Amino acid sequence: MLSPRQVVDYALQRRALLADVRAGRVDPEEVCDAGAYLQRAARFHGRTVDETCPVCRRDQLSQVSWVFGEALRHISGSARSTEDLEQLAAHHREFTVHVVEVCRTCRWNHLVRSFVLGTGRPRGGRRTAGG
């Protein structure tokens, strides 16, 4: 079971951006710019959520979790499934997860939230005062 810490929700930023798109202040092409790597990650590692794309209104959104952290070494910066996140959280002290929503039809993408996972324990043995 995941216990996220330092959770940041980007809902207000998302809402403001979508208001700008609907008002014509921002061109939809500017926000529908998911690259091929993000599109593939959404296809293979994303989980479909029960929400329709707010831009094209044609497809359900996928959420992709990206992991970052020194302790993760070569897998830092990669997309991971919920099961992978649980495994990583059990074996690493701390890493950051960024959840991005993606529309695979129009390429809309936006950072939904970020948080920290991990054991929270220092690596190695116990620390003692003065020694």
Side-chain angles (χ1 to χ4, degrees):
M1 182 170 202
L2 298 175
S3 298
R5 311 184 291 280
Q6 301 175 20
V7 178
V8 178
D9 188 330
Y10 295 91
L12 291 176
Q13 183 183 42
R14 178 184 187 268
R15 191 175 311 149
L17 179 60
L18 288 169
D20 286 345
V21 169
R22 290 186 187 112
R25 292 185 293 270
V26 174
D27 190 334
E29 288 182 15
E30 290 181 47
V31 296
C32 295
D33 61 352
Y37 190 60
L38 180 54
Q39 289 283 84
R40 277 193 301 274
R43 182 175 177 196
F44 294 108
H45 300 288
R47 66 178 180 85
T48 303
V49 293
D50 193 26
E51 185 177 350
T52 304
C53 175
V55 178
C56 72
R57 302 179 194 274
R58 286 182 271 178
D59 201 3
Q60 285 184 294
L61 295 172
S62 294
Q63 288 188 349
V64 183
S65 296
W66 298 89
V67 295
F68 298 93
E70 281 185 37
L72 300 178
R73 297 187 182 136
H74 67 281
I75 66 168
S76 181
S78 64
R80 296 291 157 170
S81 68
T82 303
E83 295 79 22
D84 290 342
L85 294 178
E86 290 173 358
Q87 291 266 334
L88 292 170
H91 294 95
H92 295 281
R93 186 178 77 79
E94 184 174 285
F95 61 95
T96 303
V97 179
H98 292 212
V99 180
V100 178
E101 67 181 12
V102 181
C103 175
R104 291 178 28 211
T105 301
C106 75
R107 298 175 40 211
W108 155 263
N109 64 100
H110 197 274
L111 178 62
V112 176
R113 75 186 149 284
S114 64
F115 52 90
V116 173
L117 288 177
T119 63
R121 293 187 302 265
R123 212 172 149 87
R126 286 195 296 172
R127 291 185 174 182
T128 58

PDB file of all heavy atoms in Angstrom, residues 82-118:
ATOM      1  N   THR A  82       1.616   0.960 -11.181  1.00  0.00           N
ATOM      2  CA  THR A  82       1.323   1.036  -9.745  1.00  0.00           C
ATOM      3  C   THR A  82       2.039  -0.076  -8.992  1.00  0.00           C
ATOM      4  O   THR A  82       2.575   0.151  -7.906  1.00  0.00           O
ATOM      5  CB  THR A  82      -0.200   0.943  -9.503  1.00  0.00           C
ATOM      6  OG1 THR A  82      -0.833   1.997 -10.234  1.00  0.00           O
ATOM      7  CG2 THR A  82      -0.536   1.083  -8.038  1.00  0.00           C
ATOM      8  N   GLU A  83       2.091  -1.269  -9.572  1.00  0.00           N
ATOM      9  CA  GLU A  83       2.792  -2.384  -8.938  1.00  0.00           C
ATOM     10  C   GLU A  83       4.280  -2.080  -8.794  1.00  0.00           C
ATOM     11  O   GLU A  83       4.890  -2.369  -7.769  1.00  0.00           O
ATOM     12  CB  GLU A  83       2.585  -3.681  -9.730  1.00  0.00           C
ATOM     13  CG  GLU A  83       1.156  -4.174  -9.759  1.00  0.00           C
ATOM     14  CD  GLU A  83       0.272  -3.431 -10.768  1.00  0.00           C
ATOM     15  OE1 GLU A  83       0.793  -2.831 -11.741  1.00  0.00           O
ATOM     16  OE2 GLU A  83      -0.944  -3.431 -10.554  1.00  0.00           O
ATOM     17  N   ASP A  84       4.859  -1.488  -9.839  1.00  0.00           N
ATOM     18  CA  ASP A  84       6.269  -1.096  -9.783  1.00  0.00           C
ATOM     19  C   ASP A  84       6.499  -0.068  -8.681  1.00  0.00           C
ATOM     20  O   ASP A  84       7.491  -0.130  -7.955  1.00  0.00           O
ATOM     21  CB  ASP A  84       6.736  -0.507 -11.108  1.00  0.00           C
ATOM     22  CG  ASP A  84       6.840  -1.522 -12.230  1.00  0.00           C
ATOM     23  OD1 ASP A  84       6.891  -2.735 -11.945  1.00  0.00           O
ATOM     24  OD2 ASP A  84       6.865  -1.093 -13.398  1.00  0.00           O
ATOM     25  N   LEU A  85       5.582   0.898  -8.554  1.00  0.00           N
ATOM     26  CA  LEU A  85       5.722   1.924  -7.522  1.00  0.00           C
ATOM     27  C   LEU A  85       5.733   1.303  -6.125  1.00  0.00           C
ATOM     28  O   LEU A  85       6.521   1.704  -5.260  1.00  0.00           O
ATOM     29  CB  LEU A  85       4.595   2.954  -7.614  1.00  0.00           C
ATOM     30  CG  LEU A  85       4.554   3.826  -8.860  1.00  0.00           C
ATOM     31  CD1 LEU A  85       3.344   4.754  -8.813  1.00  0.00           C
ATOM     32  CD2 LEU A  85       5.836   4.611  -9.021  1.00  0.00           C
ATOM     33  N   GLU A  86       4.882   0.328  -5.912  1.00  0.00           N
ATOM     34  CA  GLU A  86       4.837  -0.354  -4.609  1.00  0.00           C
ATOM     35  C   GLU A  86       6.161  -1.055  -4.318  1.00  0.00           C
ATOM     36  O   GLU A  86       6.681  -0.965  -3.206  1.00  0.00           O
ATOM     37  CB  GLU A  86       3.672  -1.334  -4.564  1.00  0.00           C
ATOM     38  CG  GLU A  86       2.323  -0.645  -4.530  1.00  0.00           C
ATOM     39  CD  GLU A  86       1.151  -1.596  -4.647  1.00  0.00           C
ATOM     40  OE1 GLU A  86       1.367  -2.828  -4.793  1.00  0.00           O
ATOM     41  OE2 GLU A  86       0.015  -1.108  -4.616  1.00  0.00           O
ATOM     42  N   GLN A  87       6.698  -1.739  -5.307  1.00  0.00           N
ATOM     43  CA  GLN A  87       7.986  -2.432  -5.146  1.00  0.00           C
ATOM     44  C   GLN A  87       9.102  -1.444  -4.857  1.00  0.00           C
ATOM     45  O   GLN A  87       9.913  -1.639  -3.963  1.00  0.00           O
ATOM     46  CB  GLN A  87       8.324  -3.222  -6.414  1.00  0.00           C
ATOM     47  CG  GLN A  87       7.444  -4.413  -6.654  1.00  0.00           C
ATOM     48  CD  GLN A  87       8.064  -5.660  -6.079  1.00  0.00           C
ATOM     49  OE1 GLN A  87       9.275  -5.749  -5.952  1.00  0.00           O
ATOM     50  NE2 GLN A  87       7.227  -6.601  -5.712  1.00  0.00           N
ATOM     51  N   LEU A  88       9.154  -0.372  -5.635  1.00  0.00           N
ATOM     52  CA  LEU A  88      10.198   0.631  -5.454  1.00  0.00           C
ATOM     53  C   LEU A  88      10.089   1.297  -4.081  1.00  0.00           C
ATOM     54  O   LEU A  88      11.102   1.533  -3.417  1.00  0.00           O
ATOM     55  CB  LEU A  88      10.124   1.686  -6.563  1.00  0.00           C
ATOM     56  CG  LEU A  88      10.475   1.208  -7.958  1.00  0.00           C
ATOM     57  CD1 LEU A  88      10.116   2.277  -8.994  1.00  0.00           C
ATOM     58  CD2 LEU A  88      11.950   0.835  -8.055  1.00  0.00           C
ATOM     59  N   ALA A  89       8.863   1.592  -3.663  1.00  0.00           N
ATOM     60  CA  ALA A  89       8.651   2.247  -2.368  1.00  0.00           C
ATOM     61  C   ALA A  89       9.106   1.370  -1.215  1.00  0.00           C
ATOM     62  O   ALA A  89       9.569   1.872  -0.184  1.00  0.00           O
ATOM     63  CB  ALA A  89       7.176   2.613  -2.195  1.00  0.00           C
ATOM     64  N   ALA A  90       9.006   0.072  -1.383  1.00  0.00           N
ATOM     65  CA  ALA A  90       9.414  -0.852  -0.325  1.00  0.00           C
ATOM     66  C   ALA A  90      10.928  -1.007  -0.236  1.00  0.00           C
ATOM     67  O   ALA A  90      11.447  -1.399   0.812  1.00  0.00           O
ATOM     68  CB  ALA A  90       8.771  -2.221  -0.558  1.00  0.00           C
ATOM     69  N   HIS A  91      11.641  -0.678  -1.302  1.00  0.00           N
ATOM     70  CA  HIS A  91      13.082  -0.939  -1.345  1.00  0.00           C
ATOM     71  C   HIS A  91      13.981   0.290  -1.431  1.00  0.00           C
ATOM     72  O   HIS A  91      15.198   0.151  -1.383  1.00  0.00           O
ATOM     73  CB  HIS A  91      13.402  -1.867  -2.530  1.00  0.00           C
ATOM     74  CG  HIS A  91      12.821  -3.226  -2.349  1.00  0.00           C
ATOM     75  ND1 HIS A  91      11.608  -3.582  -2.884  1.00  0.00           N
ATOM     76  CD2 HIS A  91      13.273  -4.295  -1.664  1.00  0.00           C
ATOM     77  CE1 HIS A  91      11.339  -4.837  -2.547  1.00  0.00           C
ATOM     78  NE2 HIS A  91      12.334  -5.294  -1.810  1.00  0.00           N
ATOM     79  N   HIS A  92      13.396   1.470  -1.596  1.00  0.00           N
ATOM     80  CA  HIS A  92      14.203   2.685  -1.714  1.00  0.00           C
ATOM     81  C   HIS A  92      13.765   3.702  -0.670  1.00  0.00           C
ATOM     82  O   HIS A  92      12.584   3.808  -0.357  1.00  0.00           O
ATOM     83  CB  HIS A  92      14.078   3.290  -3.117  1.00  0.00           C
ATOM     84  CG  HIS A  92      14.651   2.410  -4.174  1.00  0.00           C
ATOM     85  ND1 HIS A  92      16.005   2.322  -4.417  1.00  0.00           N
ATOM     86  CD2 HIS A  92      14.064   1.554  -5.036  1.00  0.00           C
ATOM     87  CE1 HIS A  92      16.213   1.451  -5.386  1.00  0.00           C
ATOM     88  NE2 HIS A  92      15.056   0.969  -5.779  1.00  0.00           N
ATOM     89  N   ARG A  93      14.734   4.456  -0.186  1.00  0.00           N
ATOM     90  CA  ARG A  93      14.464   5.421   0.876  1.00  0.00           C
ATOM     91  C   ARG A  93      13.519   6.517   0.412  1.00  0.00           C
ATOM     92  O   ARG A  93      12.566   6.856   1.095  1.00  0.00           O
ATOM     93  CB  ARG A  93      15.771   6.033   1.379  1.00  0.00           C
ATOM     94  CG  ARG A  93      15.587   6.939   2.577  1.00  0.00           C
ATOM     95  CD  ARG A  93      16.898   7.481   3.080  1.00  0.00           C
ATOM     96  NE  ARG A  93      17.417   8.555   2.254  1.00  0.00           N
ATOM     97  CZ  ARG A  93      16.983   9.813   2.309  1.00  0.00           C
ATOM     98  NH1 ARG A  93      16.033  10.140   3.136  1.00  0.00           N
ATOM     99  NH2 ARG A  93      17.511  10.724   1.537  1.00  0.00           N
ATOM    100  N   GLU A  94      13.773   7.080  -0.765  1.00  0.00           N
ATOM    101  CA  GLU A  94      12.959   8.196  -1.214  1.00  0.00           C
ATOM    102  C   GLU A  94      13.117   8.421  -2.712  1.00  0.00           C
ATOM    103  O   GLU A  94      14.215   8.360  -3.239  1.00  0.00           O
ATOM    104  CB  GLU A  94      13.373   9.465  -0.466  1.00  0.00           C
ATOM    105  CG  GLU A  94      12.534  10.675  -0.764  1.00  0.00           C
ATOM    106  CD  GLU A  94      12.899  11.851   0.112  1.00  0.00           C
ATOM    107  OE1 GLU A  94      12.527  11.834   1.302  1.00  0.00           O
ATOM    108  OE2 GLU A  94      13.572  12.770  -0.404  1.00  0.00           O
ATOM    109  N   PHE A  95      12.004   8.677  -3.368  1.00  0.00           N
ATOM    110  CA  PHE A  95      11.996   9.064  -4.772  1.00  0.00           C
ATOM    111  C   PHE A  95      10.711   9.831  -5.050  1.00  0.00           C
ATOM    112  O   PHE A  95       9.749   9.745  -4.292  1.00  0.00           O
ATOM    113  CB  PHE A  95      12.149   7.861  -5.710  1.00  0.00           C
ATOM    114  CG  PHE A  95      11.048   6.847  -5.598  1.00  0.00           C
ATOM    115  CD1 PHE A  95       9.955   6.879  -6.458  1.00  0.00           C
ATOM    116  CD2 PHE A  95      11.110   5.841  -4.642  1.00  0.00           C
ATOM    117  CE1 PHE A  95       8.941   5.924  -6.356  1.00  0.00           C
ATOM    118  CE2 PHE A  95      10.109   4.889  -4.531  1.00  0.00           C
ATOM    119  CZ  PHE A  95       9.016   4.941  -5.393  1.00  0.00           C
ATOM    120  N   THR A  96      10.722  10.593  -6.128  1.00  0.00           N
ATOM    121  CA  THR A  96       9.576  11.425  -6.488  1.00  0.00           C
ATOM    122  C   THR A  96       8.810  10.778  -7.636  1.00  0.00           C
ATOM    123  O   THR A  96       9.407  10.197  -8.536  1.00  0.00           O
ATOM    124  CB  THR A  96      10.052  12.821  -6.921  1.00  0.00           C
ATOM    125  OG1 THR A  96      10.819  13.384  -5.852  1.00  0.00           O
ATOM    126  CG2 THR A  96       8.886  13.743  -7.221  1.00  0.00           C
ATOM    127  N   VAL A  97       7.493  10.902  -7.573  1.00  0.00           N
ATOM    128  CA  VAL A  97       6.614  10.407  -8.630  1.00  0.00           C
ATOM    129  C   VAL A  97       5.865  11.598  -9.215  1.00  0.00           C
ATOM    130  O   VAL A  97       5.329  12.417  -8.467  1.00  0.00           O
ATOM    131  CB  VAL A  97       5.598   9.378  -8.091  1.00  0.00           C
ATOM    132  CG1 VAL A  97       4.671   8.892  -9.199  1.00  0.00           C
ATOM    133  CG2 VAL A  97       6.302   8.218  -7.412  1.00  0.00           C
ATOM    134  N   HIS A  98       5.861  11.704 -10.527  1.00  0.00           N
ATOM    135  CA  HIS A  98       5.084  12.722 -11.231  1.00  0.00           C
ATOM    136  C   HIS A  98       4.018  11.986 -12.037  1.00  0.00           C
ATOM    137  O   HIS A  98       4.359  11.129 -12.858  1.00  0.00           O
ATOM    138  CB  HIS A  98       5.959  13.535 -12.175  1.00  0.00           C
ATOM    139  CG  HIS A  98       6.949  14.405 -11.474  1.00  0.00           C
ATOM    140  ND1 HIS A  98       7.356  15.602 -11.979  1.00  0.00           N
ATOM    141  CD2 HIS A  98       7.600  14.270 -10.294  1.00  0.00           C
ATOM    142  CE1 HIS A  98       8.219  16.163 -11.158  1.00  0.00           C
ATOM    143  NE2 HIS A  98       8.385  15.356 -10.132  1.00  0.00           N
ATOM    144  N   VAL A  99       2.764  12.323 -11.803  1.00  0.00           N
ATOM    145  CA  VAL A  99       1.652  11.693 -12.520  1.00  0.00           C
ATOM    146  C   VAL A  99       1.177  12.661 -13.602  1.00  0.00           C
ATOM    147  O   VAL A  99       0.795  13.798 -13.312  1.00  0.00           O
ATOM    148  CB  VAL A  99       0.500  11.341 -11.566  1.00  0.00           C
ATOM    149  CG1 VAL A  99      -0.645  10.686 -12.336  1.00  0.00           C
ATOM    150  CG2 VAL A  99       0.990  10.435 -10.444  1.00  0.00           C
ATOM    151  N   VAL A 100       1.223  12.196 -14.847  1.00  0.00           N
ATOM    152  CA  VAL A 100       0.846  13.009 -15.999  1.00  0.00           C
ATOM    153  C   VAL A 100      -0.369  12.376 -16.664  1.00  0.00           C
ATOM    154  O   VAL A 100      -0.396  11.173 -16.897  1.00  0.00           O
ATOM    155  CB  VAL A 100       2.013  13.097 -17.017  1.00  0.00           C
ATOM    156  CG1 VAL A 100       1.614  13.901 -18.249  1.00  0.00           C
ATOM    157  CG2 VAL A 100       3.249  13.679 -16.357  1.00  0.00           C
ATOM    158  N   GLU A 101      -1.377  13.215 -16.959  1.00  0.00           N
ATOM    159  CA  GLU A 101      -2.524  12.699 -17.716  1.00  0.00           C
ATOM    160  C   GLU A 101      -2.275  12.943 -19.196  1.00  0.00           C
ATOM    161  O   GLU A 101      -1.696  13.959 -19.581  1.00  0.00           O
ATOM    162  CB  GLU A 101      -3.829  13.338 -17.253  1.00  0.00           C
ATOM    163  CG  GLU A 101      -3.976  14.804 -17.545  1.00  0.00           C
ATOM    164  CD  GLU A 101      -5.282  15.386 -17.031  1.00  0.00           C
ATOM    165  OE1 GLU A 101      -5.991  14.737 -16.253  1.00  0.00           O
ATOM    166  OE2 GLU A 101      -5.599  16.521 -17.434  1.00  0.00           O
ATOM    167  N   VAL A 102      -2.711  11.973 -20.001  1.00  0.00           N
ATOM    168  CA  VAL A 102      -2.437  12.011 -21.436  1.00  0.00           C
ATOM    169  C   VAL A 102      -3.676  11.564 -22.199  1.00  0.00           C
ATOM    170  O   VAL A 102      -4.309  10.572 -21.830  1.00  0.00           O
ATOM    171  CB  VAL A 102      -1.265  11.059 -21.801  1.00  0.00           C
ATOM    172  CG1 VAL A 102      -0.961  11.110 -23.286  1.00  0.00           C
ATOM    173  CG2 VAL A 102      -0.036  11.351 -20.974  1.00  0.00           C
ATOM    174  N   CYS A 103      -3.995  12.295 -23.259  1.00  0.00           N
ATOM    175  CA  CYS A 103      -5.024  11.850 -24.197  1.00  0.00           C
ATOM    176  C   CYS A 103      -4.296  11.256 -25.395  1.00  0.00           C
ATOM    177  O   CYS A 103      -3.513  11.940 -26.060  1.00  0.00           O
ATOM    178  CB  CYS A 103      -5.909  13.016 -24.647  1.00  0.00           C
ATOM    179  SG  CYS A 103      -7.115  12.538 -25.908  1.00  0.00           S
ATOM    180  N   ARG A 104      -4.568  10.016 -25.673  1.00  0.00           N
ATOM    181  CA  ARG A 104      -3.885   9.358 -26.781  1.00  0.00           C
ATOM    182  C   ARG A 104      -4.484   9.735 -28.134  1.00  0.00           C
ATOM    183  O   ARG A 104      -3.925   9.425 -29.176  1.00  0.00           O
ATOM    184  CB  ARG A 104      -3.906   7.850 -26.569  1.00  0.00           C
ATOM    185  CG  ARG A 104      -3.011   7.494 -25.377  1.00  0.00           C
ATOM    186  CD  ARG A 104      -2.944   6.043 -25.003  1.00  0.00           C
ATOM    187  NE  ARG A 104      -3.155   5.107 -26.049  1.00  0.00           N
ATOM    188  CZ  ARG A 104      -3.702   3.916 -25.878  1.00  0.00           C
ATOM    189  NH1 ARG A 104      -4.076   3.525 -24.679  1.00  0.00           N
ATOM    190  NH2 ARG A 104      -3.846   3.105 -26.887  1.00  0.00           N
ATOM    191  N   THR A 105      -5.602  10.465 -28.131  1.00  0.00           N
ATOM    192  CA  THR A 105      -6.223  10.906 -29.379  1.00  0.00           C
ATOM    193  C   THR A 105      -5.674  12.260 -29.828  1.00  0.00           C
ATOM    194  O   THR A 105      -5.150  12.392 -30.926  1.00  0.00           O
ATOM    195  CB  THR A 105      -7.758  10.986 -29.219  1.00  0.00           C
ATOM    196  OG1 THR A 105      -8.245   9.697 -28.862  1.00  0.00           O
ATOM    197  CG2 THR A 105      -8.431  11.436 -30.508  1.00  0.00           C
ATOM    198  N   CYS A 106      -5.783  13.285 -28.959  1.00  0.00           N
ATOM    199  CA  CYS A 106      -5.369  14.633 -29.366  1.00  0.00           C
ATOM    200  C   CYS A 106      -4.004  15.046 -28.814  1.00  0.00           C
ATOM    201  O   CYS A 106      -3.522  16.120 -29.138  1.00  0.00           O
ATOM    202  CB  CYS A 106      -6.431  15.655 -28.956  1.00  0.00           C
ATOM    203  SG  CYS A 106      -6.464  16.042 -27.185  1.00  0.00           S
ATOM    204  N   ARG A 107      -3.403  14.206 -27.949  1.00  0.00           N
ATOM    205  CA  ARG A 107      -2.073  14.432 -27.381  1.00  0.00           C
ATOM    206  C   ARG A 107      -2.047  15.466 -26.250  1.00  0.00           C
ATOM    207  O   ARG A 107      -1.001  15.980 -25.897  1.00  0.00           O
ATOM    208  CB  ARG A 107      -1.063  14.776 -28.478  1.00  0.00           C
ATOM    209  CG  ARG A 107      -0.888  13.652 -29.467  1.00  0.00           C
ATOM    210  CD  ARG A 107       0.007  13.965 -30.632  1.00  0.00           C
ATOM    211  NE  ARG A 107       1.171  14.731 -30.261  1.00  0.00           N
ATOM    212  CZ  ARG A 107       1.764  15.611 -31.055  1.00  0.00           C
ATOM    213  NH1 ARG A 107       1.311  15.826 -32.264  1.00  0.00           N
ATOM    214  NH2 ARG A 107       2.817  16.283 -30.655  1.00  0.00           N
ATOM    215  N   TRP A 108      -3.225  15.785 -25.672  1.00  0.00           N
ATOM    216  CA  TRP A 108      -3.254  16.630 -24.479  1.00  0.00           C
ATOM    217  C   TRP A 108      -2.449  15.946 -23.393  1.00  0.00           C
ATOM    218  O   TRP A 108      -2.480  14.722 -23.253  1.00  0.00           O
ATOM    219  CB  TRP A 108      -4.699  16.822 -24.007  1.00  0.00           C
ATOM    220  CG  TRP A 108      -4.852  17.150 -22.542  1.00  0.00           C
ATOM    221  CD1 TRP A 108      -5.135  16.256 -21.537  1.00  0.00           C
ATOM    222  CD2 TRP A 108      -4.728  18.425 -21.916  1.00  0.00           C
ATOM    223  NE1 TRP A 108      -5.207  16.916 -20.336  1.00  0.00           N
ATOM    224  CE2 TRP A 108      -4.951  18.255 -20.529  1.00  0.00           C
ATOM    225  CE3 TRP A 108      -4.448  19.703 -22.377  1.00  0.00           C
ATOM    226  CZ2 TRP A 108      -4.918  19.294 -19.616  1.00  0.00           C
ATOM    227  CZ3 TRP A 108      -4.410  20.742 -21.463  1.00  0.00           C
ATOM    228  CH2 TRP A 108      -4.640  20.536 -20.115  1.00  0.00           C
ATOM    229  N   ASN A 109      -1.709  16.726 -22.617  1.00  0.00           N
ATOM    230  CA  ASN A 109      -1.002  16.166 -21.467  1.00  0.00           C
ATOM    231  C   ASN A 109      -0.797  17.255 -20.443  1.00  0.00           C
ATOM    232  O   ASN A 109      -0.637  18.431 -20.784  1.00  0.00           O
ATOM    233  CB  ASN A 109       0.332  15.550 -21.893  1.00  0.00           C
ATOM    234  CG  ASN A 109       1.300  16.567 -22.436  1.00  0.00           C
ATOM    235  OD1 ASN A 109       2.192  17.009 -21.735  1.00  0.00           O
ATOM    236  ND2 ASN A 109       1.130  16.956 -23.698  1.00  0.00           N
ATOM    237  N   HIS A 110      -0.878  16.865 -19.192  1.00  0.00           N
ATOM    238  CA  HIS A 110      -0.701  17.838 -18.111  1.00  0.00           C
ATOM    239  C   HIS A 110      -0.278  17.096 -16.848  1.00  0.00           C
ATOM    240  O   HIS A 110      -0.749  15.999 -16.570  1.00  0.00           O
ATOM    241  CB  HIS A 110      -2.010  18.589 -17.856  1.00  0.00           C
ATOM    242  CG  HIS A 110      -1.799  19.837 -17.065  1.00  0.00           C
ATOM    243  ND1 HIS A 110      -1.770  19.850 -15.700  1.00  0.00           N
ATOM    244  CD2 HIS A 110      -1.582  21.103 -17.458  1.00  0.00           C
ATOM    245  CE1 HIS A 110      -1.561  21.083 -15.276  1.00  0.00           C
ATOM    246  NE2 HIS A 110      -1.434  21.865 -16.332  1.00  0.00           N
ATOM    247  N   LEU A 111       0.606  17.729 -16.097  1.00  0.00           N
ATOM    248  CA  LEU A 111       1.020  17.198 -14.801  1.00  0.00           C
ATOM    249  C   LEU A 111      -0.156  17.303 -13.838  1.00  0.00           C
ATOM    250  O   LEU A 111      -0.697  18.391 -13.635  1.00  0.00           O
ATOM    251  CB  LEU A 111       2.221  17.983 -14.275  1.00  0.00           C
ATOM    252  CG  LEU A 111       2.771  17.597 -12.915  1.00  0.00           C
ATOM    253  CD1 LEU A 111       3.281  16.153 -12.909  1.00  0.00           C
ATOM    254  CD2 LEU A 111       3.889  18.556 -12.519  1.00  0.00           C
ATOM    255  N   VAL A 112      -0.582  16.165 -13.284  1.00  0.00           N
ATOM    256  CA  VAL A 112      -1.735  16.123 -12.396  1.00  0.00           C
ATOM    257  C   VAL A 112      -1.314  16.313 -10.942  1.00  0.00           C
ATOM    258  O   VAL A 112      -1.899  17.101 -10.205  1.00  0.00           O
ATOM    259  CB  VAL A 112      -2.491  14.774 -12.542  1.00  0.00           C
ATOM    260  CG1 VAL A 112      -3.635  14.676 -11.567  1.00  0.00           C
ATOM    261  CG2 VAL A 112      -2.971  14.597 -13.965  1.00  0.00           C
ATOM    262  N   ARG A 113      -0.284  15.567 -10.524  1.00  0.00           N
ATOM    263  CA  ARG A 113       0.200  15.669  -9.145  1.00  0.00           C
ATOM    264  C   ARG A 113       1.602  15.090  -9.059  1.00  0.00           C
ATOM    265  O   ARG A 113       2.036  14.331  -9.918  1.00  0.00           O
ATOM    266  CB  ARG A 113      -0.751  15.008  -8.159  1.00  0.00           C
ATOM    267  CG  ARG A 113      -0.755  13.520  -8.127  1.00  0.00           C
ATOM    268  CD  ARG A 113      -1.840  12.954  -7.202  1.00  0.00           C
ATOM    269  NE  ARG A 113      -2.312  11.680  -7.677  1.00  0.00           N
ATOM    270  CZ  ARG A 113      -3.127  11.474  -8.690  1.00  0.00           C
ATOM    271  NH1 ARG A 113      -3.606  12.475  -9.351  1.00  0.00           N
ATOM    272  NH2 ARG A 113      -3.465  10.273  -9.071  1.00  0.00           N
ATOM    273  N   SER A 114       2.278  15.463  -7.994  1.00  0.00           N
ATOM    274  CA  SER A 114       3.583  14.880  -7.697  1.00  0.00           C
ATOM    275  C   SER A 114       3.612  14.548  -6.213  1.00  0.00           C
ATOM    276  O   SER A 114       2.895  15.163  -5.415  1.00  0.00           O
ATOM    277  CB  SER A 114       4.717  15.829  -8.078  1.00  0.00           C
ATOM    278  OG  SER A 114       4.664  16.996  -7.289  1.00  0.00           O
ATOM    279  N   PHE A 115       4.427  13.565  -5.871  1.00  0.00           N
ATOM    280  CA  PHE A 115       4.536  13.160  -4.471  1.00  0.00           C
ATOM    281  C   PHE A 115       5.811  12.362  -4.280  1.00  0.00           C
ATOM    282  O   PHE A 115       6.462  11.962  -5.249  1.00  0.00           O
ATOM    283  CB  PHE A 115       3.312  12.360  -4.012  1.00  0.00           C
ATOM    284  CG  PHE A 115       2.946  11.199  -4.892  1.00  0.00           C
ATOM    285  CD1 PHE A 115       3.478   9.936  -4.669  1.00  0.00           C
ATOM    286  CD2 PHE A 115       2.056  11.362  -5.937  1.00  0.00           C
ATOM    287  CE1 PHE A 115       3.133   8.863  -5.473  1.00  0.00           C
ATOM    288  CE2 PHE A 115       1.692  10.296  -6.747  1.00  0.00           C
ATOM    289  CZ  PHE A 115       2.236   9.042  -6.510  1.00  0.00           C
ATOM    290  N   VAL A 116       6.133  12.148  -3.023  1.00  0.00           N
ATOM    291  CA  VAL A 116       7.332  11.396  -2.655  1.00  0.00           C
ATOM    292  C   VAL A 116       6.899  10.052  -2.088  1.00  0.00           C
ATOM    293  O   VAL A 116       5.947   9.974  -1.303  1.00  0.00           O
ATOM    294  CB  VAL A 116       8.171  12.179  -1.619  1.00  0.00           C
ATOM    295  CG1 VAL A 116       9.327  11.344  -1.098  1.00  0.00           C
ATOM    296  CG2 VAL A 116       8.683  13.476  -2.230  1.00  0.00           C
ATOM    297  N   LEU A 117       7.603   8.998  -2.486  1.00  0.00           N
ATOM    298  CA  LEU A 117       7.397   7.652  -1.947  1.00  0.00           C
ATOM    299  C   LEU A 117       8.724   7.121  -1.426  1.00  0.00           C
ATOM    300  O   LEU A 117       9.785   7.659  -1.741  1.00  0.00           O
ATOM    301  CB  LEU A 117       6.888   6.698  -3.030  1.00  0.00           C
ATOM    302  CG  LEU A 117       5.462   6.868  -3.510  1.00  0.00           C
ATOM    303  CD1 LEU A 117       5.172   5.871  -4.635  1.00  0.00           C
ATOM    304  CD2 LEU A 117       4.471   6.697  -2.382  1.00  0.00           C
ATOM    305  N   GLY A 118       8.656   6.039  -0.694  1.00  0.00           N
ATOM    306  CA  GLY A 118       9.850   5.368  -0.197  1.00  0.00           C
ATOM    307  C   GLY A 118       9.711   5.024   1.270  1.00  0.00           C
ATOM    308  O   GLY A 118       8.736   5.394   1.928  1.00  0.00           O
TER     309      GLY A 118
END
